[in-house]
């Protein structure tokens, strides 16, 4: 089991030419998830990205936003699996490259997985409450934001592991992004990852 997220330049080199004797390697089980090019460049607002390669992967993006005199936002995430069986890939790669999300802004939640039996989630809860009665000093005009997550994970892969695993964000990606960025990036099998963010704001009189 391994989770890896890193920033690197040119981390993925060109694949070597396989000789005739390496033909069996070409028949291996390969999984690759990749976000590249100008994907989401300059995008703004609520951005949700789920990318998976392999078997039995779970992903989710959830947002709750409430605005009002009395505002409450609540997010509750629960993922569950039982008695899953799958073959772990010989090579698993998860890469974010190019100009992905360059110059973007807002709330960006990314779940990227390559492998088998991985569970990922993102949760954002925002509440903005306007002050109802200026003379009031009680809690009636306050905002409340709650975010919780629970996972039950029972993936079984029979002891098999990937021979090569790469999880990377290249240096050209995400440049100039402004706002809230959530990233779960997994290459492997049987991993659980998650992000939560809860914010409560009370506007002034």
């Amino acid at each position: 089991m391994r989770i890896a997220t890193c920033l690197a330049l040119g981390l993925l080199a060109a694949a070597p030419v396989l000789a005739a004797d390496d033909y069996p390697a070409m028949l291996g089980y390969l999984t690759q998830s990749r976000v590249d090019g100008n994907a989401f460049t300059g995008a703004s607002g609520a951005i949700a990205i789920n990318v998976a390669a392999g078997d039995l992967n779970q992903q989710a993006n959830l947002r709750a936003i409430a605005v009002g005199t009395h505002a409450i936002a609540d997010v509750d995430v629960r993922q569950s699996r039982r008695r899953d069986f799958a073959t772990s890939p010989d090579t698993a790669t998860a890469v974010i490259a190019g100009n992905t999300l360059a110059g973007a802004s807002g709330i960006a939640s990314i779940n990227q997985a390559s492998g088998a039996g991985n569970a990922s989630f993102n949760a954002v809860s925002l509440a903005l409450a306007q002050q109802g009665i200026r003379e009031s000093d009680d809690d009636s005009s306050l905002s409340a934001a709650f975010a919780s997550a629970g996972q039950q994970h029972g993936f079984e892969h029979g002891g098999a592991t990937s021979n090569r695993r790469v999880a990377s964000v290249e240096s050209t990606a995400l440049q100039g992004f402004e706002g809230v960025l959530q990233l779960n990036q997994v290459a492997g099998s049987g991993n659980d990852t998650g992000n939560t963010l809860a914010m409560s704001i009370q506007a002034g009189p």
Side-chain angles (χ1 to χ4, degrees):
M1 179 186 301
R2 180 179 300 174
I3 304 173
T5 300
C6 58
L7 298 175
L9 174 63
L11 190 143
L12 294 180
V17 177
L18 294 175
D21 294 341
D22 294 331
Y23 181 75
M26 298 173 61
L27 303 180
Y29 176 25
L30 312 178
T31 61
Q32 181 183 57
S33 62
R34 187 178 186 91
V35 184
D36 204 341
N38 293 317
F40 304 97
T41 298
S44 62
I47 305 167
I49 304 171
N50 287 320
V51 183
D55 301 301
L56 304 173
N57 294 298
Q58 293 179 315
Q59 296 177 307
N61 297 299
L62 303 100
R63 285 83 179 266
I65 300 175
V67 179
T69 302
H70 310 288
I72 296 178
D74 189 5
V75 176
D76 190 351
V77 185
R78 298 185 184 277
Q79 295 178 327
S80 179
R81 287 198 312 271
R82 286 291 183 271
R83 303 182 64 83
D84 287 342
F85 292 90
T87 301
S88 294
D90 299 313
T91 299
T93 61
V95 179
I96 297 176
N99 297 317
T100 299
L101 284 171
S105 62
I107 301 175
S109 302
I110 306 171
N111 291 316
Q112 184 182 32
S114 179
N118 299 297
S120 303
F121 77 92
N122 308 113
V124 175
S125 180
L126 302 174
L128 173 61
Q130 301 169 354
Q131 188 169 5
I133 303 175
R134 295 180 62 181
E135 292 79 10
S136 175
D137 58 356
D138 58 22
D139 294 332
S140 62
S141 62
L142 296 179
S143 61
F146 306 94
S148 64
Q151 294 182 340
Q152 296 178 350
H153 189 78
F155 176 71
E156 300 178 52
H157 52 70
T161 58
S162 301
N163 294 327
R164 181 173 182 267
R165 292 172 287 194
V166 175
S168 69
V169 178
E170 295 188 358
S171 62
T172 56
L174 309 180
Q175 288 192 6
F177 178 85
E178 295 182 353
V180 176
L181 176 63
Q182 297 176 305
L183 172 60
N184 292 318
Q185 191 179 52
V186 175
S189 300
N191 298 288
D192 292 336
T193 60
N195 300 294
T196 61
L197 172 66
M199 295 183 65
S200 296
I201 303 173
Q202 180 182 359

